[in-house]
Amino acid sequence: MTKPINVLTLGPIRATQKDLEDLQADGQFHLFQINEATVEQFHSKIKDISAHHDISVVMATYSPILRRLDETTFLPLLPHLRLVAGSGAGYDNVDVDFLTKNGVYYANTPVAVSDPTA
């Protein structure tokens, strides 16, 4: 049996919550979710989790609390981090240069919000 992939979610990943739980139940992924009240709590929790688990994937959604995903967010997850997946079209809040310099891929969903929602 293959070792499960450790996935960290930052912020509320509502649209895929059931799918993530199903994958975890199948033993394919081990899911860690962070949805804290302050930036300091987010970063503290990331450090705590990364001290005990090798996180390979981060799934991130925009959070009014965690406005910028940068070296402070990602450094504790290195060298095991391989992919950061952002939900949404933009990546202005993500330090893609830092990720690239450290061999981490970044993916987003640029066409996910292409249809009007009104």
Side-chain angles (χ1 to χ4, degrees), residues 8-41:
L8 175 65
T9 66
L10 303 177
I13 311 286
R14 291 182 194 102
T16 58
Q17 187 65 40
K18 172 83 170 82
D19 293 331
L20 291 172
E21 290 169 358
D22 289 347
L23 289 170
Q24 182 167 269
D26 289 344
Q28 298 177 44
F29 294 90
H30 189 185
L31 184 62
F32 301 89
Q33 296 181 297
I34 301 177
N35 194 18
E36 302 299 322
T38 68
V39 172
E40 293 78 17
Q41 288 172 332

Side-chain angles (χ1 to χ4, degrees), residues 38-109:
T38 68
V39 172
E40 293 78 17
Q41 288 172 332
F42 260 103
H43 290 144
S44 175
K45 190 85 173 213
I46 290 168
K47 287 178 185 175
D48 289 346
I49 290 171
S50 66
H52 302 287
H53 304 280
D54 297 338
I55 302 297
S56 301
V57 177
V58 169
M59 294 180 66
T61 186
Y62 175 77
S63 167
I65 296 158
L66 191 60
R67 294 176 189 256
R68 180 84 178 138
L69 302 175
D70 56 16
E71 182 175 343
T72 306
T73 307
F74 300 124
L75 191 59
L77 302 170
L78 295 175
H80 306 286
L81 185 61
R82 294 289 169 248
L83 172 67
V84 174
S87 63
Y91 55 90
D92 293 346
N93 67 323
V94 179
D95 189 346
V96 177
D97 288 338
F98 177 81
L99 293 174
T100 303
K101 288 176 188 172
N102 286 282
V104 179
Y105 292 97
Y106 179 76
N108 63 357
T109 54

